[in-house]
């Protein structure tokens, strides 16, 4: 294994690769650190980046000691779809849609969950626990089923019924919490500490999850023939997906494969946009959001009790030269329709937010028509099909 | 293009590669014929079968003249999942699940539809029409949207709401027909003839669709490292998917790559099993089914008016040394649960029928514990999530 430690992103404190969630010294976010020198020595970059397949083809850059612990459902290796009709309408020369909806449980969460559940097995846990707004629930429960692990999930009471049903059918124990994602987050944290279950909550809490997210960067690099996008647009709740993609490109740079990193764009819904608010107001520290209200439930994270997660995301967005933007529910609905009508992709509301953000970025002149742009389409429309049916009536 | 003609499977009459649906001489099913000699001369078999990616990497064996007409959403290239927990429970040494649920619109239909819509573009049609029990509707509408073609669909009135919604959101005109799939089939046929729209109905009617299905065989061969499964178990309505997989292996044999073809197993629901009935009764000719009734709506095809489609499927099953078997709705529900609980795969009812059939085949001693077996898991559970929620309550 080339992973060597967990390192606090705030104070630099280092820990062994065990079941830690926060820096014991300062409470900061933990990040998996690798011996990049050895990786650079041992891999042939061309070979590494020509590998087909999913998340685990990049095993050297994943934090698993023993590959026999891999629990895979064929996650990752998703299509990078060149936009034709939508890009023309938007007046953009080169737009690519990274279609994460075709992951086994229907969202990008299968990447972090494949890594986290494999680690659970490697650590010897029999039970995992997590908080989720729905997609992580559907995903974790599927991987736990494949691994033969028990799975307990806290979800907020507004979670789409389809996602809860996915978790239930995979045999998970789903507990519905009154409140927002943040209340679910707290409940999972308490149970995890009390009972010693592995907490795979895929904000920045479980440091192994982000390692799955980052494989998107390698695939983008490969499928764009070694070109680095000018912009990668990502729907964000707390933002580990955005941070993961950024880390993936940062690693490609560390390995001497690229000279630049894309500018990261974080998208939230107007009704819950703590990260965007901090960005727009020029603050580094994110504040919790009060009373979230949006149809984009998968990214409706008020960050109450873990605002440092949002702060981490804002800092990465700034460092990358990107921006954060929020969209109204109506703009998101229009984006769902546009993706379906012009690109043949059926996205859930949160997933289409990246397209709504792209429209705004173009209107405001932040993104220019010749900029190589990638939008992540994070989850399948079938995951919010009931609400889509409702809204289409109107 | 290596495809040379359309050939009647009954009388051998040959036609040019145009928009034909039936043999003008005897009314028989048309099949795309290739110049296998030239293919064998031009391709390197090892290279051909090591190609990663989806349906179109096998372009030499697909009937498109100009590759610029390809309409792709990244279909195919689906995971072949080695069963661990379920195979142990069933007492089977080597079981693989071909996970077609991760295709862009959530079912295997994206393979035939990618080919059919690309052909529509190549032929210059502006509008396509089809009959569907739901999955083909969701798929055709998505590809038509990507291609900028208009799409008209007839579905029977019991079609799952999720699938209808997929088609609607992709901009298709969906007409609900009172009755079964067969009534929808007839309506689409009439409109197609009356208005001259390209009929992409993916029974055996549109001969180009089956060419997409057959790519599953190439992927199985590749992902099994050149081994040929003893059994391939396929949920069947009319059966073009089963016939497609069979044809794919037959082509591998024609090209000198394999020496044998898997035995094909066709699965239907007790409540609509015209093909199984003919097989069990030892008849070659299939008769239409009266009053279909099953939760497995995607394979509930009574074949009224086109029984020759079922006859074609029965003949292929026999020729391959396979068998046909039907399962009760309860057995199918149990199979959905088993796939979800032990393999982390959430299948729609019809899709899990292959697992129900496998159980029966093992019980009856038709399939033995050392037989290399592949089950096709044809569509995602999110496509029938409402009914799943209903049935899980009970």
């Amino acid at each position: 294994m080339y992973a060597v430690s967990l390192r606090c992103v705030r104070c630099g404190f280092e820990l062994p690769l065990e079941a830690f969630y926060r820096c014991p010294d300062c409470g900061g976010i933990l990040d998996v650190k690798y011996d990049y020198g050895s990786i650079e020595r041992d891999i042939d970059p061309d070979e590494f980046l020509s590998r087909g397949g999913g998340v685990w083809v990049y095993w050297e850059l994943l934090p698993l000691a023993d590959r026999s612990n891999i629990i895979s459902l064929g996650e990752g290796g998703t299509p990078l779809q060149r936009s034709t009709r939508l890009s023309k309408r938007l007046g953009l020369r080169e737009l690519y849609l990274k279609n994460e909806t075709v992951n086994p449980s229907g969202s990008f969460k299968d990447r972090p969950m494949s890594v986290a559940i494999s680690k659970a097995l490697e650590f010897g846990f029999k039970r995992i626990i997590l908080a989720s707004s729905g997609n992580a629930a559907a995903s974790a429960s599927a991987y736990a089923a494949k691994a033969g692990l028990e799975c307990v999930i806290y979800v907020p009471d507004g979670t789409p019924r389809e996602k809860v049903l996915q978790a239930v059918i995979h045999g998970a124990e789903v507990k519905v919490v009154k409140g927002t994602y943040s209340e679910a987050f707290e409940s999972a944290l308490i149970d995890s500490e009390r009972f010693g279950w592995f907490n795979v909550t895929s904000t920045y809490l479980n440091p192994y999850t982000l390692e799955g997210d980052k494989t998107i960067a390698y695939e983008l690099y490969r499928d764009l023939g070694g070109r680095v996008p000018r912009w990668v647009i990502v729907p964000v709740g707390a933002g580990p997906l955005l941070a993961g993609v950024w880390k993936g490109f940062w690693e490609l740079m560390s390995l001497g494969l690229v000279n630049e990193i894309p500018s990261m764009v974080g998208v939230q819904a107007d009704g819950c946009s703590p990260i965007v608010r901090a960005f727009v107001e020029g603050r580094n520290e994110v504040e919790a959001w009060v009373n979230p209200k949006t149809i984009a439930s998968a990214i409706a994270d008020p960050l109450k009790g873990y605002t440092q997660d949002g702060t981490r995301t804002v800092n990465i967005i700034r460092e990358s030269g990107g921006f954060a933007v929020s969209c109204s529910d109506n703009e998101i609905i229009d984006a769902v329709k546009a993706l379906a009508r012009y690109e043949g992709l059926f996205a859930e509301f949160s997933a289409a937010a990246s397209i709504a953000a792209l429209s705004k970025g173009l209107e405001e002149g932040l993104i220019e028509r010749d900029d190589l742009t990638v939008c992540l389409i994070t989850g399948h429309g079938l995951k919010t099909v009931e609400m889509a049916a409702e809204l289409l009536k109107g």
Side-chain angles (χ1 to χ4, degrees), chain A:
Chain A
M1 179 165 61
Y2 294 93
V4 291
S5 63
L6 296 174
R7 189 174 178 281
C8 175
V9 301
R10 198 193 297 168
C11 75
F13 192 91
E14 295 210 11
L15 289 158
L17 289 161
E18 290 167 17
F20 295 113
Y21 308 106
R22 291 292 190 223
C23 174
D25 208 42
C26 77
I29 292 167
L30 299 175
D31 185 50
V32 180
K33 205 182 132 183
Y34 294 80
D35 175 2
Y36 292 110
S38 292
I39 295 174
E40 203 177 348
R41 193 193 58 219
D42 292 352
I43 68 170
D44 170 356
D46 288 336
E47 184 277 325
F48 181 78
L49 287 161
S50 69
R51 293 179 194 168
V55 164
W56 292 100
V57 301
Y58 307 112
W59 62 270
E60 293 98 333
L61 282 159
L62 292 169
L64 202 68
D66 180 353
R67 277 193 275 169
S68 74
N69 290 319
I70 291 176
I71 299 295
S72 173
L73 298 172
E75 59 291 326
T78 56
L80 184 66
Q81 180 169 321
R82 173 85 190 253
S83 169
T84 45
R85 300 182 68 206
L86 186 57
S87 57
K88 193 172 284 176
R89 292 179 72 89
L90 293 169
L92 193 63
R93 208 171 50 81
E94 221 177 340
L95 168 64
Y96 290 88
L97 310 169
K98 181 64 170 165
N99 183 6
E100 289 292 300
T101 74
V102 299
N103 278 296
S105 82
S107 85
F108 78 96
K109 287 289 184 191
D110 292 338
R111 294 180 190 262
M113 285 307 153
S114 179
V115 176
I117 305 302
S118 301
K119 278 312 277 184
L121 209 65
E122 186 153 281
F123 286 141
F125 286 98
K126 299 286 178 229
R127 183 175 284 205
I128 60 156
I129 187 166
L130 69 153
S132 170
S133 59
N135 282 333
S139 179
S141 60
Y143 286 86
K146 179 73 179 163
L149 302 178
E150 289 177 3
C151 180
V152 180
I153 306 171
Y154 284 98
V155 298
D157 52 11
T159 305
R161 216 161 64 102
E162 296 91 333
K163 300 177 184 180
V164 173
L165 185 88
Q166 282 185 277
V168 169
I169 205 161
H170 287 304
E173 185 184 341
V174 180
K175 301 182 182 197
V176 179
V177 177
K178 221 176 151 55
T180 70
Y181 178 83
S182 293
E183 278 71 42
F185 180 95
E186 199 190 351
S187 299
L189 199 61
I190 290 168
D191 275 9
S192 163
E193 284 171 4
R194 183 183 299 163
F195 303 116
W197 303 335
F198 193 46
N199 192 337
V200 301
T201 299
S202 63
T203 53
Y204 294 91
L205 190 68
N206 184 307
Y208 301 101
T209 57
L210 189 140
E211 302 304 296
D213 293 318
K214 77 183 183 188
T215 55
I216 289 176
Y218 313 152
E219 294 178 15
L220 290 179
Y221 176 82
R222 178 191 65 199
D223 296 340
L224 290 170
R227 292 189 300 161
V228 174
R230 173 72 185 85
W231 306 98
V232 178
I233 307 182
V234 188
V236 296
L241 175 60
L242 182 145
V245 175
W246 177 82
K247 181 177 182 181
F249 277 104
W250 180 88
E251 289 179 327
L252 294 179
M253 198 158 71
S254 299
L255 295 170
L257 291 165
V258 302
N259 297 316
E260 52 185 348
I261 290 178
S263 294
M264 304 299 301
V265 179
V267 197
Q268 301 198 295
D270 285 348
C272 185
S273 46
I275 290 172
V276 175
R277 190 171 57 188
F279 181 86
V280 170
E281 293 175 359
R283 285 184 286 107
N284 277 331
E285 300 287 327
V286 169
E287 285 171 13
W289 191 266
V290 181
N291 287 331
K293 192 172 161 37
T294 169
I295 54 166
S297 57
I299 51 172
D301 187 343
L303 302 171
K304 197 174 74 185
Y306 45 97
T307 52
Q308 67 168 336
D309 287 17
T311 297
R312 171 81 176 145
T313 303
V314 165
N315 289 337
I316 289 173
I317 289 171
R318 285 227 174 82
E319 189 174 328
S320 73
F323 61 92
V325 66
S326 72
C327 305
S328 71
D329 282 1
N330 279 334
E331 288 166 338
I332 290 173
I333 292 169
D334 286 346
V336 168
K337 287 182 187 167
L339 271 175
R341 293 280 168 104
Y342 303 118
E343 293 296 333
L345 292 190
F346 183 25
E348 68 166 314
F349 296 110
S350 304
S354 54
I355 298 297
L358 170 59
S359 297
K360 287 207 159 174
L362 283 161
E363 275 164 27
E364 293 171 16
L366 296 164
I367 298 173
E368 297 183 0
R369 60 164 283 117
D370 286 337
D371 291 349
L372 175 58
T373 304
V374 174
C375 285
L376 301 197
I377 312 297
T378 46
H380 207 288
L382 284 168
K383 284 169 155 282
T384 53
V385 76
E386 281 187 23
M387 198 182 283
E390 199 81 5
L391 292 168
L392 275 176
K393 271 188 217 151

